[in-house]
Amino acid sequence: QTSFYGRFRHFLDIIDPRTLFVTESRLKEAVQLLEDYKHGTLPPGVTNKELWGAQKIKQAIIHPDTNETIFMPFRMSGYIPFGTPIVVGLLLPNQTLASTVFWQWLNQSHNACVNYANRNATKPSPTSKFIQGYLGAVISAVSIAVGLNVLVQRANKFTPATRLLIQRFVPFPAVASANICNVVLMRHTELEEGIDVLDNNGNIVGSSRIAAKHALLETALTRVVLPMPILVLPPIIMSILEK
């Protein structure tokens, strides 16, 4: 994972939806195999491919800090299959006020649960922080989406075609700003207390607020960039096809 390509392949393993169908017994086998490898008690005949397969299963299902099983819809491997219907809902044309509020609420609820389930759990965080982040994300997303839609509808200078095109892009700024709000509110305690820093051998060498700042900044940036292909490209493609 010292190269971008290596990290990209690693992430493809983590989001592989096939891991959603791994049974409890198969997960236990994978965890046990990795434990045997760690203690040098591997049974004969186990290949590197089998070990990497076990590692893939464990990383996709088990939280690295708590060692608890992550609920299926909130795993990274479940982000695409469970998130796609929500994205379709966000991009539906001719949305009413109620449908705009519903889809933005559902999207932020899903994002909040994914963020919480995959959080950095090296430091304990109270449930109130999660609720605070969730409410902040929902309020910001709904406010921006509804506000932009109202502004566009009242803009008399735009032609109906231009108004429709702009409305199609409304979900992106609403989702992006809410995602940032979600991350900052849910994880701001890390900025105050810092996060654990490890050496090359995985040993904790201290707690750093600078590392926490970098982690939150990069996470917030990805929360802006990740929705772009699915919330920006389809409206552009649709406008070209309609012409």
Side-chain angles (χ1 to χ4, degrees), residues 8-27:
F8 177 69
R9 289 182 61 192
H10 167 70
F11 195 71
L12 287 180
D13 268 349
I14 292 175
I15 65 170
D16 187 347
R18 291 176 298 178
T19 58
L20 294 172
F21 303 102
V22 172
T23 62
E24 189 69 27
S25 59
R26 178 71 184 95
L27 174 61

Side-chain angles (χ1 to χ4, degrees), residues 14-225:
I14 292 175
I15 65 170
D16 187 347
R18 291 176 298 178
T19 58
L20 294 172
F21 303 102
V22 172
T23 62
E24 189 69 27
S25 59
R26 178 71 184 95
L27 174 61
K28 288 180 180 178
E29 287 176 12
V31 172
Q32 187 57 52
L33 196 63
L34 294 172
E35 285 296 314
D36 292 343
Y37 172 76
K38 188 185 295 183
H39 296 104
T41 56
L42 269 179
V46 176
T47 63
N48 279 339
K49 186 177 180 180
E50 289 175 312
L51 283 171
W52 281 113
Q55 177 81 336
K56 174 179 177 175
I57 289 171
K58 183 182 178 183
Q59 287 184 332
I61 300 174
I62 304 293
H63 193 288
D65 298 330
T66 64
N67 286 320
E68 294 177 356
T69 301
I70 300 172
F71 186 45
M72 185 187 290
F74 308 142
R75 297 174 193 166
M76 293 310 296
S77 54
Y79 197 71
I80 294 173
F82 288 98
T84 299
I86 300 174
V87 172
V88 173
L90 286 170
L91 293 173
L92 288 174
N94 304 318
Q95 298 228 23
T96 63
L97 177 64
S99 65
T100 299
V101 171
F102 171 75
W103 288 112
Q104 289 292 344
W105 164 77
L106 187 61
N107 181 55
Q108 290 309 318
S109 296
H110 181 240
N111 283 344
C113 291
V114 170
N115 284 345
Y116 183 77
N118 297 277
R119 72 196 183 283
N120 183 320
T122 55
K123 299 279 186 181
S125 181
T127 308
S128 59
K129 297 296 181 185
F130 167 73
I131 296 172
Q132 184 184 44
Y134 169 67
L135 291 176
V138 169
I139 292 169
S140 59
V142 170
S143 301
I144 292 170
V146 171
L148 288 175
N149 275 324
V150 170
L151 285 175
V152 171
Q153 288 169 2
R154 291 183 177 177
N156 298 323
K157 294 181 180 179
F158 296 140
T159 63
T162 303
R163 192 179 292 119
L164 178 62
L165 180 62
I166 295 173
Q167 280 181 318
R168 285 176 172 167
F169 288 99
V170 166
F172 174 67
V175 168
S177 58
N179 285 351
I180 294 173
C181 185
N182 190 321
V183 170
V184 172
L185 286 173
M186 285 183 63
R187 295 178 56 179
H188 75 88
T189 51
E190 294 176 23
L191 292 173
E192 300 166 2
E193 301 174 9
I195 57 175
D196 290 342
V197 178
L198 315 179
D199 62 16
N200 291 333
N201 298 317
N203 300 315
I204 298 174
V205 294
S207 185
S208 170
R209 282 182 289 184
I210 295 175
K213 182 180 178 181
H214 281 290
L216 259 67
L217 185 63
E218 291 176 4
T219 303
L221 182 61
T222 61
R223 294 296 189 272
V224 173
V225 175

